[in-house]
C-alpha cells in the first residue's frame, strides 16, 4: 500500500494535570505559566520533543504559543523561548501511580506548584510536583507495533487483540483510548477492554488500566505490575511481557483512523472491486472488496476512495471509474453533494457518477437522479467519540442533556439504517431532539441523524428538523445551526 497520506502518525499532544486537578497553562501575556484551568483546551496543550543528541532529556513545547517551557537556576519558569536552550531541558520521571515528575536537567530541581505559584525549585518530589498526562488527541486511532510494523486488530476467532495486520483495514482495527482515574484503557471495537494477560473483559478493571510513557515520540503502556504491553508470539498477541523497561518491542505509534465506508447504489447492491479494476455496483454482501477508505482533502474538501486491492478510484477514458491509481491526482478527487439520506459524487470532468445498466460506475451524468444517488455508510465507528471546538461531548451530570466542552469524553454507540444514524448513550438511551433545539440522550426510541463528512476528520450532524448540531454558548449540545461549518463540525 502506498503511503501517500494514508498512514499519518499522530503528533502526540497532551495536557498536564496537577494534584489539584488543574491543567498547566501557557499564557500569551508575558509568556507566563500557571495551573489554574479546570479543562483541557488550546492553551493547556503541550508537545513532548526529544532533545537532539541527548537520550534522556526532553523539551516541552506549548502547542498554543509554539514556545518552550524553561526553568532558571532560581526556579523561575516561563514559556518564552522560541528556540530551546539549556534551561529548557527536562527529565521525565514516571512514578508508580502513573504520574510524572519533571526535573530540570541542568539544575536538578523539580517542577510543580498550584495556581500561579509555579516554580522549578523543589529538591524532593511531593504531590505538588506530580503531573498526570491527559492526551489531547482524538482517542480513536490505529495502533502500530514499532518493532513488527504490524497493526493491532481484534481477532474475534481467537478472542484476542493481535498485532499481525499489514494494513489497518476494517472495523476490527479501531482502538479507542479511554482515560479514567489518571490512566488509560484500550477498548476494542466491540467495547471490550484489553487486560494485561491478553484477555478481553467488559469492565475496565485494574489489570486493564495502563500508565502512558513516552520514548522518542513513541508510546508505551505499563500495567499495574510495572510490565509493558507488547506483541507476543508468532501471532503478535497483545499482552504484558516480562520487561520492566520499554524497549523497541514495547513501543507503539498511534495513526489517524480515516473513515472506511461502503456505498450502495440504486439497484440496492454494494459498490465493489471484487471482479476487477472497474468499480461496479454488483455485490449483495458487504465484505473487504466493498469497503473503501475515504479521505477528504483539507483545501478542496473533495474526497478520494481507496480500495483494499491497492488503488484509488480514478476517472478514465469515456468517464469510466476504475480503482487503479497509485497516487492522488485531480482525476482521483470527487466532490460530494449531500442530499439528505443520499450522496452524489461529481468527478473531475464536472459530471456526476452514475450506475450504468450493467452496474459499472461512470461519470457521465449532467444531473442527479436515482441512478446518481448512493447510500454511504461509515463502518469503522461502531463506537463514537465526538470533539468540537470547545471540547468533547459528554453526558451532563444529573441531566439528560449533553455537554460539548468537556476534557473527558463519553463513548456513544452508533447504528445505521437507510442513510441515517442512531446514537445511543449511557444506559441505552437514544439521542433525540427536544424543545427549542435541545439534544437529549434518554430517548426510548431511536431518532435519525444524518452524517455529512465535510472536512478531513470532521463531520456535520443534521437533525430531523434540518438544523445542524453545535455546541452552544452554554456548553450544551443543540440542533440549531443553519450551516455545516465552524462550531457545527465535529471531530470523530
Amino acid at each position: 500500500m502506498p503511503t501517500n497520506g494514508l498512514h499519518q502518525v499522530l503528533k502526540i499532544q497532551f495536557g498536564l494535570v496537577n494534584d489539584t486537578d488543574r491543567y498547566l497553562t501557557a499564557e500569551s501575556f508575558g509568556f507566563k505559566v500557571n495551573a489554574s484551568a479546570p479543562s483541557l483546551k488550546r492553551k493547556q496543550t503541550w508537545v513532548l520533543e526529544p532533545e537532539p543528541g541527548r537520550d534522556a532529556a526532553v523539551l516541552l513545547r506549548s502547542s498554543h504559543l509554539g514556545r518552550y517551557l524553561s526553568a532558571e537556576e532560581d526556579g523561575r519558569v516561563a514559556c518564552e523561548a522560541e528556540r530551546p536552550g539549556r534551561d529548557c531541558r527536562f527529565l521525565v520521571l514516571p512514578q508508580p501511580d502513573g504520574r510524572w515528575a519533571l526535573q530540570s536537567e541542568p539544575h536538578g530541581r523539580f517542577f510543580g506548584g498550584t495556581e500561579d505559584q509555579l516554580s522549578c525549585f523543589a529538591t524532593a518530589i511531593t504531590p505538588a510536583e506530580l503531573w498526570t498526562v491527559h492526551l489531547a488527541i482524538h482517542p480513536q486511532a490505529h495502533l502500530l507495533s514499532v518493532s513488527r510494523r504490524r497493526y493491532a486488530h481484534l481477532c474475534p476467532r481467537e478472542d484476542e487483540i493481535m498485532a499481525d495486520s499489514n494494513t489497518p483495514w476494517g472495523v476490527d482495527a479501531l482502538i479507542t483510548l479511554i482515560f479514567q482515574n489518571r490512566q488509560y484503557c484500550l477498548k476494542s471495537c466491540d467495547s471490550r477492554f484489553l487486560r494485561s494477560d491478553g484477555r478481553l473483559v467488559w469492565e475496565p478493571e485494574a489489570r486493564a488500566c495502563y500508565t502512558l510513557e513516552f520514548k522518542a515520540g513513541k508510546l508505551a503502556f505499563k500495567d499495574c505490575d510495572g510490565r509493558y504491553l507488547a506483541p507476543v508470539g508468532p501471532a503478535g498477541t497483545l499482552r504484558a511481557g516480562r520487561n520492566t523497561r520499554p524497549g523497541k518491542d514495547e513501543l507503539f505509534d498511534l495513526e489517524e483512523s480515516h473513515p472506511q465506508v461502503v456505498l450502495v447504489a440504486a439497484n440496492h447492491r454494494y459498490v465493489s472491486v471484487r471482479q476487477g479494476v472497474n468499480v461496479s455496483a454488483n455485490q449483495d454482501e458487504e465484505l473487504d472488496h466493498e469497503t473503501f477508505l475515504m479521505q477528504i482533502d483539507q483545501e478542496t474538501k473533495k474526497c478520494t476512495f481507496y480500495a483494499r486491492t491497492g488503488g484509488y478510484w480514478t476517472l478514465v477514458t469515456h468517464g469510466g471509474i476504475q480503482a487503479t491509481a497509485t497516487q492522488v491526482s485531480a482525476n482521483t478527487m470527487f466532490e460530494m453533494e449531500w442530499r439528505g439520506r443520499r450522496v452524489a459524487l461529481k468527478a473531475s470532468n464536472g459530471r456526476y457518477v452514475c450506475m450504468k445498466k450493467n452496474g459499472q460506475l461512470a461519470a457521465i451524468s449532467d444531473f442527479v437522479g436515482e441512478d446518481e444517488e448512493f447510500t454511504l455508510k461509515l463502518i469503522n465507528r461502531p463506537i463514537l467519540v465526538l470533539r468540537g471546538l470547545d471540547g468533547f461531548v459528554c453526558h451532563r451530570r444529573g441531566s439528560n442533556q449533553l455537554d460539548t466542552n468537556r476534557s473527558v469524553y463519553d463513548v456513544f454507540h452508533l447504528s445505521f439504517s437507510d442513510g441515517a444514524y442512531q446514537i445511543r448513550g449511557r444506559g441505552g438511551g437514544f439521542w433525540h431532539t427536544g424543545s427549542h433545539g435541545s439534544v437529549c440522550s434518554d430517548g426510548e426510541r431511536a431518532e435519525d441523524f444524518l452524517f455529512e463528512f465535510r472536512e478531513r476528520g470532521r463531520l456535520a450532524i443534521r437533525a430531523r428538523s434540518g438544523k445542524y448540531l453545535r455546541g452552544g454558548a452554554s456548553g450544551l449540545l443543540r440542533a440549531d445551526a443553519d450551516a455545516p461549518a465552524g462550531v457545527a463540525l465535529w471531530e470523530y
Side-chain angles (χ1 to χ4, degrees):
M1 180 184 282
T3 56
N4 199 22
L6 291 174
H7 301 285
Q8 288 101 8
V9 175
L10 291 167
K11 182 187 294 183
I12 301 298
Q13 301 184 61
F14 55 88
L16 290 172
V17 191
N18 71 0
D19 191 51
T20 60
D21 289 323
R22 291 295 185 265
Y23 288 81
L24 179 64
T25 303
E27 300 288 0
S28 303
F29 180 74
F31 305 109
K32 296 180 180 180
V33 292
N34 62 61
S36 304
S39 60
L40 176 58
K41 296 183 180 178
R42 288 181 61 230
K43 290 184 179 181
Q44 290 76 40
T45 303
W46 300 81
V47 176
L48 199 70
E49 297 181 357
E51 170 72 349
R54 307 179 75 94
D55 290 338
V58 297
L59 309 168
L60 282 164
R61 178 171 56 83
S62 164
S63 294
H64 166 58
L65 299 176
R67 300 186 180 224
Y68 294 88
L69 183 71
S70 64
E72 298 181 17
E73 189 173 4
D74 61 4
R76 285 186 292 181
V77 291
C79 190
E80 189 173 4
E82 295 186 56
R83 295 184 179 179
R86 177 172 177 266
D87 288 343
C88 298
R89 298 199 298 263
F90 290 87
L91 300 175
V92 174
L93 307 179
Q95 303 301 298
D97 66 354
R99 289 185 286 181
W100 286 2
L102 297 173
Q103 184 181 31
S104 167
E105 189 207 44
H107 309 305
R109 302 298 180 97
F110 296 97
F111 173 54
T114 58
E115 301 289 336
D116 57 357
Q117 302 298 314
L118 299 183
S119 68
C120 191
F121 203 65
T123 56
I125 300 172
T126 72
E129 283 74 45
L130 292 177
W131 301 89
T132 296
V133 180
H134 185 179
L135 290 180
I137 60 175
H138 192 278
Q140 294 183 295
H142 299 309
L143 192 65
L144 176 69
S145 166
V146 170
S147 62
R148 300 203 179 195
R149 305 307 300 172
R150 295 293 185 272
Y151 291 92
H153 67 103
L154 175 67
C155 184
R157 184 178 64 255
E158 304 296 338
D159 207 31
E160 295 175 331
I161 292 180
M162 298 178 172
D164 66 349
S165 178
N166 291 324
T167 57
W169 208 266
V171 64
D172 292 344
L174 181 70
I175 300 293
T176 302
L177 297 175
I178 304 296
F179 181 67
Q180 63 174 34
N181 299 325
R182 300 180 181 270
Q183 292 184 304
Y184 278 90
C185 303
L186 297 176
K187 196 171 191 176
S188 62
C189 64
D190 65 356
S191 296
R192 289 187 290 172
F193 298 90
L194 176 64
R195 212 166 70 169
S196 58
D197 61 359
R199 288 183 56 197
L200 294 166
V201 294
W202 291 106
E203 297 295 331
E205 56 190 69
R207 300 191 69 82
C209 296
Y210 304 91
T211 298
L212 281 188
E213 291 190 10
F214 296 84
K215 184 176 181 181
K218 312 298 183 183
L219 282 178
F221 299 89
K222 184 170 71 173
D223 75 356
C224 57
D225 295 325
R227 299 179 302 152
Y228 292 84
L229 281 185
V232 177
T237 301
L238 279 196
R239 61 173 176 256
R242 298 178 180 177
N243 290 343
T244 55
R245 290 188 178 181
K248 190 174 182 180
D249 286 342
E250 289 75 32
L251 297 181
F252 297 89
D253 275 325
L254 287 177
E255 285 192 1
E256 183 178 352
S257 174
H258 294 289
Q260 294 178 26
V261 300
V262 296
L263 295 101
V264 179
N267 62 357
H268 305 294
R269 292 194 167 186
Y270 290 96
V271 174
S272 175
V273 290
R274 183 176 300 274
Q275 296 178 347
V277 297
N278 289 318
V279 182
S280 303
N282 59 7
Q283 295 298 313
D284 296 319
E285 293 182 287
E286 173 193 318
L287 298 173
D288 284 349
H289 288 87
E290 292 70 51
T291 300
F292 302 96
L293 186 146
M294 183 175 73
Q295 288 180 288
I296 300 178
D297 182 74
Q298 195 59 45
E299 294 183 5
T300 65
K301 306 299 186 285
K302 294 181 179 180
C303 70
T304 60
F305 295 96
Y306 186 85
R308 190 168 187 175
T309 51
Y312 291 95
W313 290 17
T314 186
L315 180 68
V316 296
T317 308
H318 307 303
I321 305 295
Q322 295 183 347
T324 56
T326 58
Q327 298 291 325
V328 172
S329 67
N331 283 343
T332 67
M333 305 294 287
F334 296 85
E335 182 181 342
M336 287 190 288
E337 291 186 7
W338 298 99
R339 306 174 66 84
R341 293 174 180 263
R342 304 290 182 261
V343 62
L345 301 172
K346 184 182 285 188
S348 58
N349 62 0
R351 293 189 164 185
Y352 291 97
V353 175
C354 77
M355 177 196 66
K356 297 164 67 174
K357 289 184 179 181
N358 62 1
Q360 290 186 5
L361 301 194
I364 55 176
S365 297
D366 294 318
F367 304 98
V368 177
E370 185 178 359
D371 288 339
E372 288 74 33
E373 289 190 329
F374 299 86
T375 302
L376 186 146
K377 175 186 175 183
L378 176 70
I379 65 145
N380 63 332
R381 290 295 188 278
I383 52 179
L384 186 70
V385 175
L386 293 174
R387 181 166 70 171
L389 294 180
D390 298 318
F392 289 101
V393 175
C394 187
H395 290 93
R396 173 164 284 199
R397 291 185 182 89
S399 170
N400 65 348
Q401 295 182 306
L402 296 155
D403 283 323
T404 62
N405 56 3
R406 300 285 295 278
S407 298
V408 295
Y409 42 84
D410 278 331
V411 175
F412 302 96
H413 293 262
L414 207 60
S415 54
F416 179 85
S417 176
D418 188 30
Y421 297 84
Q422 300 81 42
I423 307 170
R424 190 161 36 89
R426 187 187 303 159
F430 289 98
W431 283 23
H432 65 100
T433 50
S435 58
H436 307 295
S438 63
V439 179
C440 304
S441 62
D442 60 349
E444 294 183 3
R445 294 184 179 180
E447 182 175 321
D448 287 343
F449 292 88
L450 305 181
F451 283 12
E452 300 177 2
F453 302 93
R454 293 284 182 169
E455 294 184 5
R456 175 172 166 168
R458 286 170 171 78
L459 59 80
I461 303 176
R462 196 171 190 177
R464 62 183 178 183
S465 64
K467 300 288 188 179
Y468 292 92
L469 272 56
R470 69 175 181 90
S474 63
L476 287 175
L477 184 64
R478 301 184 60 80
D480 60 4
D482 294 320
V487 293
L489 290 179
W490 304 92
E491 192 176 351
Y492 63 98

